[in-house]
Amino acid sequence: VDRVLPKYHEWLAKYPSFGVLAEAPAAEVSETWRPLGYNIRPKRLQSIAQQAVEKYDGKLPSDHDTLLSFKGIGEYTAGAIRSFAFRQRAAILDTNVARVLFRIFVRKGDPKSHAMKKHLWAVSSAVLPQKHVFDFNQALMDFGATHCSARKPKCPSCSMKGFCRSAAI
């Protein structure tokens, strides 16, 4: 966060709209992004901005299928955009969420297999509340990053240990 936050503010100051980002020189966009890694992202973001300007009056659509039509937007990103930007009821499944859901509800099998990912998407959809989806998804991501972490999960102090399938081991 300490490294990303200043770059986030710089990015928004330089590219306050899809129109500005769409028209910016590609080299400048990449240079602005550079210290963050994932160097394909600035190209994809600019491509998304260009498509949004060309087809959607400079706005990002909020429906699932249209979001998936953008190069660089997959299931997770579409769900995250719908949940966080549009406050819609949409499941997400990033690395942290997948870990939490796998540990609590599944425990057995290969968590990285295609079949398991598909199953975890179904679990993510099933546990999604009707209201406060933004808060729920954010909490799930944070819980996976801070409490149910990959290397040192805090199972003894976990409020879910009573029904978590992995805590029972």
Side-chain angles (χ1 to χ4, degrees):
V1 172
D2 292 338
R3 193 170 62 117
V4 172
L5 204 51
K7 292 306 286 182
Y8 171 74
H9 291 297
E10 177 187 352
W11 181 271
L12 290 180
K14 265 188 161 176
Y15 313 113
S17 69
F18 281 134
V20 174
L21 178 58
E23 295 297 322
E28 175 189 296
V29 172
S30 292
E31 186 59 33
T32 303
W33 186 273
R34 180 182 298 285
L36 298 176
Y38 300 108
N39 293 329
I40 192 68
R41 283 194 179 157
K43 291 176 186 168
R44 287 192 177 148
L45 286 169
Q46 189 170 37
S47 172
I48 290 166
Q50 290 164 342
Q51 190 174 345
V53 167
E54 289 171 19
K55 294 183 177 180
Y56 303 100
D57 198 29
K59 294 177 178 63
L60 197 60
S62 63
D63 71 281
H64 182 78
D65 291 338
T66 305
L67 286 169
L68 290 178
S69 74
F70 285 80
K71 185 174 182 176
I73 296 181
E75 288 291 336
Y76 166 71
T77 303
I81 290 168
R82 290 178 59 226
S83 175
F84 299 133
F86 294 107
R87 304 290 175 129
Q88 293 178 356
R89 188 171 184 273
I92 60 168
L93 193 70
D94 74 346
T95 301
N96 291 322
V97 172
R99 181 185 332 95
V100 169
L101 297 178
F102 179 80
R103 286 178 177 169
I104 291 175
F105 296 108
V106 182
R107 192 184 90 193
K108 293 186 181 189
D110 178 4
K112 296 182 186 215
S113 74
H114 177 72
M116 184 61 70
K117 294 264 185 188
K118 188 174 179 180
H119 178 67
L120 291 173
W121 269 108
V123 172
S124 183
S125 292
V127 301
L128 206 58
Q130 292 298 320
K131 295 180 179 179
H132 308 293
V133 176
F134 175 98
D135 297 324
F136 179 83
N137 281 337
Q138 189 64 53
L140 205 50
M141 290 171 62
D142 291 348
F143 182 75
T146 61
H147 203 86
C148 191
S149 60
R151 289 185 178 76
K152 293 184 180 180
K154 299 171 182 164
C155 296
S157 65
C158 183
S159 58
M160 291 190 248
K161 69 182 174 186
F163 58 86
C164 177
R165 292 189 175 196
S166 294
I169 296 176

